[in-house]
C-alpha cells in the first residue's frame, strides 16, 4: 500500500476514534455545540472576546454547557445560580486549577495561583494569614497603603495639572505596596528597578491578553511551532524571578527569626521550622514562585481597576461631584483617609463596587478544574475537567443590576442612600479559590481613589460625551482604552 494512503487511513481512524471517545463521554457531560475533529468549537469562539462568545452560546445551551477547546472538553458555568452552586456549594470539588498552558510552562505547578492539592492549600493558608496583617513587621498593611497614597499624590502633583496618561503612575503605587509586603522595599517612582519590573509585567499582561495566546492556550502545540511570544513571556518571568531570588538571598543572610520584617521573612521561618519534613511545601522554590504570583496577581489587577475607574469618573462628572461632596463632609480637605471612613461613606463604597462591577476585570475568571468526578445537576463531570465560570454573567446580571451596561453607583445603594451589598458582586470570584488579595485590593482602591479625589479635581481633555469607555482588549483581563487626564490640585 502506498505510504500516503496508509497514513491517510491511520489519520482517519484516529479522527473517528477521537470523535467516538467524545461521543461516549458526551452522555455525561453537559450539552454544547457539536465539536469538529481536532479543532473542537474554536470556530464558535471569538478569541478577541471569549466571554462574549460564551454568553451567546449560553442563550442556546443554557447555564451549564460544554465547549471543546481543541480536543479538551471544558464545562462553562453561566449565570449566578450555576456559578454559586459550583464555587460555593461544591467549593471543595471545584477548587482545582484549570490549565493555562503558557502559565503552566512558566509556573510548573509551584507557588499559589497554579498549584493544586496539598501544596495549594498550605501555601494559600499561609499567604492569607500573612496578608492579614501579621506579616508586616511593625507597620500595619493599612499604614503601608496610606504611606503609598501620599507618594501617589506627590507624584500626581508633579504632572502640574497638564494632560497625562496615568498608566505609569497608577502602576507604581500598587507595585510599591506589593514590594513593601514581600521584601519591605519602597521605590522612588523614578527608580530603575521599579521601572524595569513594571515594564516586564506590563509586557507580560499584554502577551497574556493577546488573541494569539488565547489560540495557543487552546492549541498548546502552536507555542512550540511559533515559540517567539512564549519565549518572550518566559524570559520576562525569569527576569522577575531572578530579581526576587536576589531579594530572598539577601533576606536569608539577614534573617532574625524573632523579628520578621515581611512576607519573605515569614516564609523563611516556615522553611526553617519544617526543614526536617521531606514533604514540606515550604521550600525556597515555592517561596520564589509564590512571591512572583503575588506580583503577577496583585499589581496589574489593582492598577487597571484604578485606571479604568478614573476613566469612568471623568466620563461621569456628576458621580465625581457627589463623591467629592461626601469626602468633604466626612474627611475634609486635610486629614488622611483611613479605612474607618469607609463605613461613613456609602456613596464612595458604592462607586468602588460599581467600578469593579462595570469593568468586569477578569471576565471568565481564572480557569478552575474539578478535583474528582462530580455530579452537577444532571451531569457527571470527570475529574480534572476544566471549568470556566463566567464572572461577566454574574456582574452584568440584568435582574440584580438593572441596565448592567450603564455605570451607575445606584446599583449598590438602597432608597435611603445606604450601601447595599450584593451576592452578585463576584469581581474577586467566590469560594475556596477566591482572590487571596481581596482585602488588600479593596483597601488600595478605597484609599487611593479617595485621596486622589480629595486632593485633585479631575479634568478630561475631551468632552465627557466623547470619552470612549469600551474595553480596548478583553482577553484574560479587560483593559481600558488609553486616555489623557489632568489632575488639578484643589
Ligand atoms: C482589583 C483587584 C483584584 C481583582 C479584581 C482580583 C481578582 C482575582 C480573581 C478573579 C481571581 C481568581 C479566583 C479564582 O480562581 O476563582 C484571583 C486570584 C488570586 N488573586 Fe486576585 N484580584 C485582585 C487583586 C489581587 C491582589 C492585590 C493580590 C495580591 C496580594 C491578589 C492575589 C491573588 C492570588 C494569589 C490569587 C490566586 C488564588 C488561588 O489560586 O487560590 N489579587 N484574583
Amino acid at each position: 500500500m502506498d505510504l500516503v494512503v496508509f497514513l491517510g487511513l491511520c489519520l482517519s481512524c484516529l479522527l473517528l476514534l477521537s470523535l467516538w471517545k467524545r461521543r461516549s463521554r458526551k452522555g455525561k457531560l453537559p450539552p454544547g455545540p457539536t465539536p469538529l475533529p481536532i479543532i473542537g468549537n474554536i470556530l464558535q469562539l471569538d478569541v478577541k472576546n471569549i466571554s462574549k462568545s460564551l454568553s451567546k452560546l449560553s442563550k442556546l445551551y443554557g447555564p451549564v454547557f460544554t465547549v471543546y477547546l481543541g480536543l479538551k472538553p471544558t464545562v462553562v458555568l453561566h449565570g449566578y445560580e450555576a456559578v454559586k452552586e459550583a464555587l460555593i456549594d461544591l467549593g471543595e470539588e471545584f477548587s482545582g486549577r484549570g490549565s493555562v498552558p503558557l502559565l503552566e510552562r512558566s509556573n510548573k505547578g509551584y507557588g499559589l495561583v497554579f498549584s493544586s492539592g496539598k501544596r495549594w492549600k498550605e501555601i494559600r493558608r499561609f499567604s492569607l494569614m500573612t496578608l492579614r496583617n501579621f506579616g508586616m513587621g511593625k507597620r500595619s498593611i493599612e499604614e503601608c497603603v496610606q504611606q503609598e497614597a501620599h507618594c501617589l499624590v506627590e507624584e500626581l502633583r508633579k504632572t502640574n495639572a497638564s494632560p497625562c496618561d496615568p498608566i505609569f503612575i497608577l502602576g507604581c503605587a500598587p507595585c510599591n505596596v506589593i514590594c513593601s509586603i514581600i521584601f519591605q522595599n519602597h521605590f522612588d517612582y523614578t527608580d530603575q528597578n521599579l521601572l524595569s519590573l513594571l515594564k516586564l509585567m506590563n509586557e507580560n499582561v499584554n502577551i497574556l491578553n493577546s488573541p494569539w495566546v488565547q489560540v495557543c492556550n487552546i492549541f498548546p502545540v502552536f507555542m512550540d511551532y511559533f515559540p517567539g511570544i512564549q519565549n518572550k513571556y518566559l524570559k520576562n518571568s525569569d527576569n522577575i524571578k531572578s530579581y526576587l531570588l536576589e531579594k530572598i538571598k539577601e533576606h536569608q543572610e539577614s534573617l532574625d527569626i524573632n523579628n520578621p520584617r515581611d512576607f519573605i521573612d515569614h516564609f523563611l521561618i516556615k522553611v526553617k521550622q519544617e526543614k526536617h519534613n521531606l514533604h514540606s511545601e515550604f521550600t525556597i522554590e515555592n517561596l520564589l514562585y509564590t512571591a512572583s504570583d503575588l506580583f503577577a496577581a496583585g499589581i496589574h489587577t489593582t492598577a487597571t481597576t484604578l485606571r479604568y475607574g478614573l476613566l469612568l469618573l471623568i466620563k461621569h462628572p456628576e458621580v465625581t461631584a457627589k463623591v467629592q461632596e461626601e469626602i468633604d463632609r466626612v474627611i475634609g480637605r486635610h486629614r488622611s483617609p483611613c479605612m474607618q471612613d469607609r463605613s461613613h461613606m456609602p456613596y464612595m463604597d458604592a462607586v468602588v463596587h460599581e467600578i469593579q462591577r462595570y469593568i468586569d476585570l477578569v471576565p471568565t475568571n481564572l480557569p478552575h478544574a474539578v478535583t474528582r468526578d462530580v455530579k452537577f445537576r444532571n451531569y457527571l463531570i470527570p475529574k480534572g475537567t476544566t471549568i470556566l465560570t463566567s464572572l461577566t454573567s454574574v456582574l452584568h446580571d440584568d435582574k440584580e443590576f438593572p441596565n448592567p451596561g450603564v455605570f451607575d453607583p445606584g446599583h449598590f445603594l438602597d432608597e435611603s442612600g445606604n450601601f447595599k451589598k450584593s451576592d452578585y458582586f463576584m469581581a474577586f470570584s467566590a469560594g475556596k479559590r477566591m482572590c487571596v488579595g481581596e482585602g488588600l485590593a479593596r483597601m488600595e482602591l478605597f484609599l487611593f481613589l479617595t485621596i486622589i479625589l480629595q486632593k485633585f479635581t479631575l479634568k478630561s481633555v475631551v468632552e465627557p460625551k466623547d470619552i470612549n469607555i469600551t474595553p480596548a482588549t478583553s482577553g484574560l483581563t479587560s483593559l481600558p482604552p488609553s486616555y489623557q487626564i489632568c489632575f488639578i490640585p484643589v
Side-chain angles (χ1 to χ4, degrees), residues 87 95-97 112-115 120 124 127 131 174 178 181 290 293-303 305-306 356 359 361-362 365-368 389 391 426-438 440-442 444-445:
L87 297 188
S95 69
R97 179 59 79 214
L112 172 52
V113 182
F114 282 90
S115 57
W120 165 69
R124 184 176 165 100
S127 303
L131 289 172
I178 293 284
I181 291 175
T290 305
D293 278 348
L294 294 178
F295 255 76
I299 297 172
H300 154 73
T301 44
T302 312
T305 307
L306 290 170
Q356 290 199 264
I359 71 168
L361 186 71
V362 197
N365 203 355
L366 292 182
H368 284 230
T389 46
L391 297 184
M426 286 195 189
F428 296 100
S429 185
K432 294 204 181 285
R433 209 107 208 187
M434 185 174 179
C435 176
V436 162
E438 181 196 1
L440 172 65
R442 281 174 182 272
E444 289 184 76
L445 295 176

Side-chain angles (χ1 to χ4, degrees), residues 1-14:
M1 196 188 308
D2 178 304
L3 184 67
V4 178
V5 177
F6 176 74
L7 286 177
L9 272 175
C10 289
L11 193 64
S12 310
C13 289
L14 276 176

Side-chain angles (χ1 to χ4, degrees), residues 190-257:
T190 52
D191 189 295
Q192 269 315 313
N193 287 308
L194 178 74
L195 300 186
S196 43
L197 278 171
L198 276 173
K199 182 168 170 280
L200 294 170
M201 278 181 299
N202 279 341
E203 278 178 7
N204 274 5
V205 166
N206 289 334
I207 292 177
L208 276 177
N209 262 333
S210 68
W212 175 240
V213 166
Q214 315 308 316
V215 173
C216 289
N217 282 333
I218 299 173
F219 303 109
V221 69
F222 279 19
M223 282 193 278
D224 301 323
Y225 283 105
F226 306 98
I229 293 184
Q230 168 186 244
N231 290 347
K232 174 85 186 147
Y233 181 90
L234 296 178
K235 196 167 153 230
N236 286 349
S237 305
D238 284 348
N239 284 339
I240 296 173
K241 285 195 199 90
S242 306
Y243 183 75
L244 290 171
L245 193 58
E246 247 176 64
K247 292 282 164 199
I248 293 174
K249 286 186 181 146
E250 285 168 22
H251 276 63
Q252 281 175 307
E253 281 158 21
S254 55
L255 177 69
D256 170 2
I257 56 169

Side-chain angles (χ1 to χ4, degrees), residues 401-427:
F401 306 111
N403 297 325
V406 173
F407 176 75
D408 174 10
H411 285 136
F412 293 93
L413 292 168
D414 68 13
E415 307 77 51
S416 326
N418 299 315
F419 178 74
K420 185 175 77 178
K421 257 183 105 162
S422 167
D423 290 342
Y424 286 61
F425 181 76
M426 286 195 189

